[in-house]
Amino acid sequence: MNRLLVIVGSVRPVRTGLPIARWVGALAEEAGWEVDLADLAELALPFMDEPNHPRLRDYQHAHTIAWSERVDVADAIVLVTPEYNHSFSPALKNALDYLSQEWWRKPVGVVSYGGVSAGTRGVTALTPVLVALGLVKTGANVEIPFAGALVADGVFTPTEKETAIAGHLLAELAELAPVLRPLQNR
Ligand SMILES: Cc1cc2nc3c(=O)[nH]c(=O)nc-3n(C[C@H](O)[C@H](O)[C@H](O)COP(=O)(O)O)c2cc1C
């Protein structure tokens, strides 16, 4: 079974991101993925504090080694990110910066949300970071405008469009995972 790492980019105490990530995770489980939901608030990585460049994989801190092992075993990744000031979440950038080889040639899909722009300006800022890390992004992007209005009692209720696009995104990840596997550093 393919392992999917769903990363929750928002770390605020009350978040739209967590219910959205749970929704994507449940869809993925229905589609046959084994899902690991990585909540960056729970993970609580400090600002990147490794003395060596991550490409050397010579980690000094237990939090980095644990994060490295978690990303390493993933066959595909979904990033769930809000848009903050026309960019993506800083906690997500920090979590990405911690590692290097672990991301290389992993397939990745992005679920963005925010106001009227549905987090798309954040995805524009995120894309060159994904390229720099060697991640391979799906063509399908789930873009959720005014996402807060779709969350009640901690549950995200998607529109039909969002569910359909999430299905396309997961299908692309399933297609890419075996093709990219031989190119990865694990
Ligand atoms: C610091 C901050 C900056 C924001 N900047 C934008 C923005 O530039 N564009 C936008 O559409 N929404 C913006 N928003 C709205 C958020 O994208 C929206 O509230 C989202 O649901 C927050 O996600 P979260 O609850 O998971 O943290 C901003 C929110 C915050 C807290």
Side-chain angles (χ1 to χ4, degrees):
M1 189 189 291
N2 279 336
R3 282 171 291 211
L4 181 71
L5 181 68
V6 178
I7 302 178
V8 188
S10 168
V11 296
R12 299 191 312 126
V14 179
R15 302 168 277 172
T16 311
L18 189 58
I20 293 175
R22 288 193 178 128
W23 161 68
V24 183
L27 272 186
E29 278 174 356
E30 278 172 34
W33 293 87
E34 182 188 315
V35 174
D36 176 19
L37 194 122
D39 181 350
L40 296 185
E42 222 172 74
L43 214 62
L45 289 166
F47 276 128
M48 208 295 226
D49 60 353
E50 283 292 335
N52 303 312
H53 193 292
R55 73 168 174 268
L56 301 172
R57 232 174 161 147
D58 182 16
Y59 303 131
Q60 305 299 308
H61 299 299
H63 55 251
T64 315
I65 293 165
W67 182 226
S68 164
E69 288 171 356
R70 206 160 166 187
V71 174
D72 222 18
V73 297
D75 296 298
I77 293 159
V78 169
L79 304 175
V80 180
T81 182
E83 178 169 309
Y84 294 155
N85 297 314
H86 295 200
S87 191
F88 60 101
S89 113
L92 178 58
K93 178 66 161 60
N94 190 48
L96 288 167
D97 288 343
Y98 257 98
L99 309 177
S100 173
Q101 296 185 37
E102 296 85 342
W103 304 117
W104 186 256
R105 296 297 178 250
K106 295 266 174 85
V108 65
V110 180
V111 177
S112 70
Y113 58 96
V116 69
S117 70
T120 51
R121 292 171 295 206
V123 180
T124 300
L126 174 60
T127 301
V129 179
L130 303 182
V131 172
L133 290 168
L135 285 150
V136 179
K137 195 174 150 313
T138 59
N141 299 307
V142 181
E143 297 159 352
I144 310 170
F146 302 112
L150 301 173
V151 174
D153 299 327
V155 176
F156 172 68
T157 304
T159 63
E160 272 180 32
K161 182 202 82 172
E162 285 145 8
T163 303
I165 295 173
H168 293 310
L169 182 151
L170 292 169
E172 278 192 63
L173 291 178
E175 190 178 63
L176 287 169
V179 177
L180 293 175
R181 182 76 172 79
L183 305 177
Q184 294 163 11
N185 293 325
R186 58 174 171 149

PDB file of all heavy atoms in Angstrom, residues 10 12 14-18 82-87 113-119 121 147-148, ligand 1:
ATOM      1  N   SER A  10      -0.609  25.072   8.670  1.00  0.00           N
ATOM      2  CA  SER A  10      -0.983  26.105   9.641  1.00  0.00           C
ATOM      3  C   SER A  10      -0.763  25.589  11.056  1.00  0.00           C
ATOM      4  O   SER A  10      -1.091  24.444  11.367  1.00  0.00           O
ATOM      5  CB  SER A  10      -2.459  26.474   9.463  1.00  0.00           C
ATOM      6  OG  SER A  10      -2.874  27.255  10.568  1.00  0.00           O
ATOM      7  N   ARG A  12      -1.713  27.672  13.816  1.00  0.00           N
ATOM      8  CA  ARG A  12      -2.462  28.564  14.713  1.00  0.00           C
ATOM      9  C   ARG A  12      -3.355  27.722  15.640  1.00  0.00           C
ATOM     10  O   ARG A  12      -3.739  26.598  15.286  1.00  0.00           O
ATOM     11  CB  ARG A  12      -3.309  29.526  13.881  1.00  0.00           C
ATOM     12  CG  ARG A  12      -2.443  30.410  12.980  1.00  0.00           C
ATOM     13  CD  ARG A  12      -3.214  31.536  12.350  1.00  0.00           C
ATOM     14  NE  ARG A  12      -4.447  31.136  11.739  1.00  0.00           N
ATOM     15  CZ  ARG A  12      -5.624  31.684  12.030  1.00  0.00           C
ATOM     16  NH1 ARG A  12      -5.710  32.652  12.928  1.00  0.00           N
ATOM     17  NH2 ARG A  12      -6.709  31.290  11.396  1.00  0.00           N
ATOM     18  N   VAL A  14      -6.496  27.962  16.482  1.00  0.00           N
ATOM     19  CA  VAL A  14      -7.757  27.591  15.832  1.00  0.00           C
ATOM     20  C   VAL A  14      -7.517  27.727  14.338  1.00  0.00           C
ATOM     21  O   VAL A  14      -7.223  28.812  13.844  1.00  0.00           O
ATOM     22  CB  VAL A  14      -8.916  28.516  16.268  1.00  0.00           C
ATOM     23  CG1 VAL A  14     -10.198  28.115  15.552  1.00  0.00           C
ATOM     24  CG2 VAL A  14      -9.097  28.455  17.775  1.00  0.00           C
ATOM     25  N   ARG A  15      -7.610  26.574  13.648  1.00  0.00           N
ATOM     26  CA  ARG A  15      -7.166  26.554  12.247  1.00  0.00           C
ATOM     27  C   ARG A  15      -8.203  25.987  11.313  1.00  0.00           C
ATOM     28  O   ARG A  15      -8.896  25.027  11.650  1.00  0.00           O
ATOM     29  CB  ARG A  15      -5.926  25.661  12.107  1.00  0.00           C
ATOM     30  CG  ARG A  15      -4.794  26.051  12.928  1.00  0.00           C
ATOM     31  CD  ARG A  15      -3.762  24.937  12.936  1.00  0.00           C
ATOM     32  NE  ARG A  15      -4.073  23.903  13.917  1.00  0.00           N
ATOM     33  CZ  ARG A  15      -3.437  22.758  14.020  1.00  0.00           C
ATOM     34  NH1 ARG A  15      -2.457  22.478  13.188  1.00  0.00           N
ATOM     35  NH2 ARG A  15      -3.774  21.876  14.928  1.00  0.00           N
ATOM     36  N   THR A  16      -8.232  26.545  10.115  1.00  0.00           N
ATOM     37  CA  THR A  16      -9.026  25.965   9.041  1.00  0.00           C
ATOM     38  C   THR A  16      -8.276  24.767   8.465  1.00  0.00           C
ATOM     39  O   THR A  16      -8.881  23.820   7.959  1.00  0.00           O
ATOM     40  CB  THR A  16      -9.250  27.016   7.928  1.00  0.00           C
ATOM     41  OG1 THR A  16      -9.700  28.218   8.538  1.00  0.00           O
ATOM     42  CG2 THR A  16     -10.266  26.566   6.923  1.00  0.00           C
ATOM     43  N   GLY A  17      -6.958  24.827   8.563  1.00  0.00           N
ATOM     44  CA  GLY A  17      -6.112  23.846   7.893  1.00  0.00           C
ATOM     45  C   GLY A  17      -6.297  22.415   8.384  1.00  0.00           C
ATOM     46  O   GLY A  17      -6.263  21.472   7.578  1.00  0.00           O
ATOM     47  N   LEU A  18      -6.488  22.253   9.688  1.00  0.00           N
ATOM     48  CA  LEU A  18      -6.572  20.882  10.224  1.00  0.00           C
ATOM     49  C   LEU A  18      -7.807  20.139   9.702  1.00  0.00           C
ATOM     50  O   LEU A  18      -7.677  19.005   9.211  1.00  0.00           O
ATOM     51  CB  LEU A  18      -6.520  20.911  11.757  1.00  0.00           C
ATOM     52  CG  LEU A  18      -6.385  19.567  12.448  1.00  0.00           C
ATOM     53  CD1 LEU A  18      -5.131  18.820  11.988  1.00  0.00           C
ATOM     54  CD2 LEU A  18      -6.346  19.745  13.973  1.00  0.00           C
ATOM     55  N   PRO A  82      -2.369  27.473   4.076  1.00  0.00           N
ATOM     56  CA  PRO A  82      -3.130  28.709   3.924  1.00  0.00           C
ATOM     57  C   PRO A  82      -2.307  29.728   3.147  1.00  0.00           C
ATOM     58  O   PRO A  82      -1.099  29.538   2.947  1.00  0.00           O
ATOM     59  CB  PRO A  82      -3.279  29.183   5.374  1.00  0.00           C
ATOM     60  CG  PRO A  82      -2.041  28.693   6.058  1.00  0.00           C
ATOM     61  CD  PRO A  82      -1.696  27.389   5.380  1.00  0.00           C
ATOM     62  N   GLU A  83      -2.972  30.798   2.720  1.00  0.00           N
ATOM     63  CA  GLU A  83      -2.231  31.942   2.169  1.00  0.00           C
ATOM     64  C   GLU A  83      -2.129  32.989   3.268  1.00  0.00           C
ATOM     65  O   GLU A  83      -3.139  33.396   3.846  1.00  0.00           O
ATOM     66  CB  GLU A  83      -2.983  32.530   0.970  1.00  0.00           C
ATOM     67  CG  GLU A  83      -2.274  33.756   0.389  1.00  0.00           C
ATOM     68  CD  GLU A  83      -2.867  34.189  -0.952  1.00  0.00           C
ATOM     69  OE1 GLU A  83      -3.011  33.332  -1.836  1.00  0.00           O
ATOM     70  OE2 GLU A  83      -3.180  35.379  -1.087  1.00  0.00           O
ATOM     71  N   TYR A  84      -0.896  33.380   3.564  1.00  0.00           N
ATOM     72  CA  TYR A  84      -0.650  34.484   4.494  1.00  0.00           C
ATOM     73  C   TYR A  84       0.122  35.555   3.727  1.00  0.00           C
ATOM     74  O   TYR A  84       1.230  35.292   3.240  1.00  0.00           O
ATOM     75  CB  TYR A  84       0.217  34.033   5.681  1.00  0.00           C
ATOM     76  CG  TYR A  84      -0.394  33.021   6.635  1.00  0.00           C
ATOM     77  CD1 TYR A  84       0.425  32.193   7.386  1.00  0.00           C
ATOM     78  CD2 TYR A  84      -1.779  32.911   6.834  1.00  0.00           C
ATOM     79  CE1 TYR A  84      -0.092  31.281   8.295  1.00  0.00           C
ATOM     80  CE2 TYR A  84      -2.312  31.995   7.730  1.00  0.00           C
ATOM     81  CZ  TYR A  84      -1.470  31.187   8.450  1.00  0.00           C
ATOM     82  OH  TYR A  84      -1.977  30.275   9.353  1.00  0.00           O
ATOM     83  N   ASN A  85      -0.447  36.742   3.637  1.00  0.00           N
ATOM     84  CA  ASN A  85       0.220  37.868   2.974  1.00  0.00           C
ATOM     85  C   ASN A  85       0.829  37.467   1.625  1.00  0.00           C
ATOM     86  O   ASN A  85       2.012  37.669   1.364  1.00  0.00           O
ATOM     87  CB  ASN A  85       1.267  38.483   3.915  1.00  0.00           C
ATOM     88  CG  ASN A  85       0.602  39.051   5.154  1.00  0.00           C
ATOM     89  OD1 ASN A  85      -0.410  39.756   5.061  1.00  0.00           O
ATOM     90  ND2 ASN A  85       1.120  38.720   6.320  1.00  0.00           N
ATOM     91  N   HIS A  86      -0.001  36.860   0.820  1.00  0.00           N
ATOM     92  CA  HIS A  86       0.329  36.467  -0.560  1.00  0.00           C
ATOM     93  C   HIS A  86       1.436  35.424  -0.636  1.00  0.00           C
ATOM     94  O   HIS A  86       2.068  35.273  -1.687  1.00  0.00           O
ATOM     95  CB  HIS A  86       0.692  37.695  -1.416  1.00  0.00           C
ATOM     96  CG  HIS A  86      -0.459  38.637  -1.595  1.00  0.00           C
ATOM     97  ND1 HIS A  86      -0.508  39.570  -2.607  1.00  0.00           N
ATOM     98  CD2 HIS A  86      -1.611  38.780  -0.904  1.00  0.00           C
ATOM     99  CE1 HIS A  86      -1.653  40.247  -2.504  1.00  0.00           C
ATOM    100  NE2 HIS A  86      -2.327  39.793  -1.479  1.00  0.00           N
ATOM    101  N   SER A  87       1.663  34.704   0.447  1.00  0.00           N
ATOM    102  CA  SER A  87       2.643  33.628   0.388  1.00  0.00           C
ATOM    103  C   SER A  87       2.074  32.415   1.130  1.00  0.00           C
ATOM    104  O   SER A  87       0.910  32.413   1.517  1.00  0.00           O
ATOM    105  CB  SER A  87       3.976  34.080   0.986  1.00  0.00           C
ATOM    106  OG  SER A  87       4.977  33.121   0.701  1.00  0.00           O
ATOM    107  N   TYR A 113      -5.740  27.250   0.479  1.00  0.00           N
ATOM    108  CA  TYR A 113      -6.993  27.910   0.867  1.00  0.00           C
ATOM    109  C   TYR A 113      -6.665  29.297   1.392  1.00  0.00           C
ATOM    110  O   TYR A 113      -5.521  29.603   1.737  1.00  0.00           O
ATOM    111  CB  TYR A 113      -7.748  27.071   1.905  1.00  0.00           C
ATOM    112  CG  TYR A 113      -6.948  26.797   3.151  1.00  0.00           C
ATOM    113  CD1 TYR A 113      -7.093  27.587   4.280  1.00  0.00           C
ATOM    114  CD2 TYR A 113      -6.005  25.764   3.177  1.00  0.00           C
ATOM    115  CE1 TYR A 113      -6.340  27.357   5.419  1.00  0.00           C
ATOM    116  CE2 TYR A 113      -5.255  25.528   4.305  1.00  0.00           C
ATOM    117  CZ  TYR A 113      -5.423  26.336   5.422  1.00  0.00           C
ATOM    118  OH  TYR A 113      -4.661  26.107   6.535  1.00  0.00           O
ATOM    119  N   GLY A 114      -7.697  30.141   1.415  1.00  0.00           N
ATOM    120  CA  GLY A 114      -7.517  31.510   1.895  1.00  0.00           C
ATOM    121  C   GLY A 114      -8.788  32.274   1.631  1.00  0.00           C
ATOM    122  O   GLY A 114      -9.886  31.722   1.748  1.00  0.00           O
ATOM    123  N   GLY A 115      -8.632  33.533   1.205  1.00  0.00           N
ATOM    124  CA  GLY A 115      -9.781  34.363   0.876  1.00  0.00           C
ATOM    125  C   GLY A 115     -10.188  34.146  -0.569  1.00  0.00           C
ATOM    126  O   GLY A 115     -10.193  33.005  -1.060  1.00  0.00           O
ATOM    127  N   VAL A 116     -10.471  35.257  -1.251  1.00  0.00           N
ATOM    128  CA  VAL A 116     -10.997  35.151  -2.615  1.00  0.00           C
ATOM    129  C   VAL A 116     -10.026  34.447  -3.559  1.00  0.00           C
ATOM    130  O   VAL A 116     -10.434  33.761  -4.498  1.00  0.00           O
ATOM    131  CB  VAL A 116     -11.412  36.551  -3.141  1.00  0.00           C
ATOM    132  CG1 VAL A 116     -10.183  37.442  -3.367  1.00  0.00           C
ATOM    133  CG2 VAL A 116     -12.240  36.433  -4.403  1.00  0.00           C
ATOM    134  N   SER A 117      -8.731  34.559  -3.294  1.00  0.00           N
ATOM    135  CA  SER A 117      -7.737  33.977  -4.211  1.00  0.00           C
ATOM    136  C   SER A 117      -7.512  32.490  -3.943  1.00  0.00           C
ATOM    137  O   SER A 117      -6.724  31.850  -4.638  1.00  0.00           O
ATOM    138  CB  SER A 117      -6.412  34.716  -4.104  1.00  0.00           C
ATOM    139  OG  SER A 117      -5.829  34.419  -2.858  1.00  0.00           O
ATOM    140  N   ALA A 118      -8.165  31.939  -2.917  1.00  0.00           N
ATOM    141  CA  ALA A 118      -8.099  30.499  -2.621  1.00  0.00           C
ATOM    142  C   ALA A 118      -6.673  30.006  -2.360  1.00  0.00           C
ATOM    143  O   ALA A 118      -6.359  28.842  -2.606  1.00  0.00           O
ATOM    144  CB  ALA A 118      -8.740  29.690  -3.757  1.00  0.00           C
ATOM    145  N   GLY A 119      -5.822  30.909  -1.908  1.00  0.00           N
ATOM    146  CA  GLY A 119      -4.451  30.511  -1.592  1.00  0.00           C
ATOM    147  C   GLY A 119      -3.541  30.370  -2.798  1.00  0.00           C
ATOM    148  O   GLY A 119      -2.397  29.928  -2.671  1.00  0.00           O
ATOM    149  N   ARG A 121      -1.985  32.548  -4.635  1.00  0.00           N
ATOM    150  CA  ARG A 121      -0.737  33.336  -4.623  1.00  0.00           C
ATOM    151  C   ARG A 121       0.284  32.647  -3.728  1.00  0.00           C
ATOM    152  O   ARG A 121       1.491  32.692  -3.993  1.00  0.00           O
ATOM    153  CB  ARG A 121      -1.025  34.770  -4.172  1.00  0.00           C
ATOM    154  CG  ARG A 121      -1.860  35.522  -5.195  1.00  0.00           C
ATOM    155  CD  ARG A 121      -2.342  36.851  -4.678  1.00  0.00           C
ATOM    156  NE  ARG A 121      -3.261  36.706  -3.554  1.00  0.00           N
ATOM    157  CZ  ARG A 121      -4.186  37.604  -3.224  1.00  0.00           C
ATOM    158  NH1 ARG A 121      -4.327  38.701  -3.943  1.00  0.00           N
ATOM    159  NH2 ARG A 121      -4.964  37.409  -2.177  1.00  0.00           N
ATOM    160  N   ALA A 147     -12.332  29.391   2.761  1.00  0.00           N
ATOM    161  CA  ALA A 147     -12.416  28.047   3.350  1.00  0.00           C
ATOM    162  C   ALA A 147     -13.029  28.064   4.746  1.00  0.00           C
ATOM    163  O   ALA A 147     -13.718  27.114   5.127  1.00  0.00           O
ATOM    164  CB  ALA A 147     -11.022  27.425   3.393  1.00  0.00           C
ATOM    165  N   GLY A 148     -12.781  29.142   5.483  1.00  0.00           N
ATOM    166  CA  GLY A 148     -13.286  29.222   6.856  1.00  0.00           C
ATOM    167  C   GLY A 148     -14.800  29.036   6.912  1.00  0.00           C
ATOM    168  O   GLY A 148     -15.333  28.430   7.858  1.00  0.00           O
TER     169      GLY A 148
HETATM  170  C1  LIG B   1      -1.426  36.525   8.979  1.00  0.00           C
HETATM  171  C2  LIG B   1      -2.508  36.270   7.971  1.00  0.00           C
HETATM  172  C3  LIG B   1      -2.357  36.727   6.694  1.00  0.00           C
HETATM  173  C4  LIG B   1      -3.338  36.447   5.724  1.00  0.00           C
HETATM  174  N1  LIG B   1      -3.143  36.851   4.443  1.00  0.00           N
HETATM  175  C5  LIG B   1      -4.011  36.478   3.484  1.00  0.00           C
HETATM  176  C6  LIG B   1      -3.765  36.788   2.134  1.00  0.00           C
HETATM  177  O1  LIG B   1      -2.770  37.381   1.770  1.00  0.00           O
HETATM  178  N2  LIG B   1      -4.644  36.365   1.205  1.00  0.00           N
HETATM  179  C7  LIG B   1      -5.779  35.650   1.552  1.00  0.00           C
HETATM  180  O2  LIG B   1      -6.545  35.293   0.675  1.00  0.00           O
HETATM  181  N3  LIG B   1      -6.048  35.352   2.837  1.00  0.00           N
HETATM  182  C8  LIG B   1      -5.184  35.734   3.797  1.00  0.00           C
HETATM  183  N4  LIG B   1      -5.416  35.421   5.116  1.00  0.00           N
HETATM  184  C9  LIG B   1      -6.629  34.635   5.426  1.00  0.00           C
HETATM  185  C10 LIG B   1      -6.253  33.185   5.599  1.00  0.00           C
HETATM  186  O3  LIG B   1      -5.761  32.593   4.435  1.00  0.00           O
HETATM  187  C11 LIG B   1      -7.468  32.398   6.069  1.00  0.00           C
HETATM  188  O4  LIG B   1      -7.952  32.989   7.263  1.00  0.00           O
HETATM  189  C12 LIG B   1      -7.127  30.955   6.322  1.00  0.00           C
HETATM  190  O5  LIG B   1      -8.296  30.255   6.625  1.00  0.00           O
HETATM  191  C13 LIG B   1      -6.124  30.807   7.454  1.00  0.00           C
HETATM  192  O6  LIG B   1      -5.765  29.460   7.575  1.00  0.00           O
HETATM  193  P1  LIG B   1      -5.559  28.745   8.993  1.00  0.00           P
HETATM  194  O7  LIG B   1      -6.826  29.035   9.795  1.00  0.00           O
HETATM  195  O8  LIG B   1      -5.449  27.280   8.677  1.00  0.00           O
HETATM  196  O9  LIG B   1      -4.335  29.322   9.606  1.00  0.00           O
HETATM  197  C14 LIG B   1      -4.497  35.716   6.089  1.00  0.00           C
HETATM  198  C15 LIG B   1      -4.630  35.279   7.410  1.00  0.00           C
HETATM  199  C16 LIG B   1      -3.661  35.542   8.341  1.00  0.00           C
HETATM  200  C17 LIG B   1      -3.812  35.018   9.751  1.00  0.00           C
END
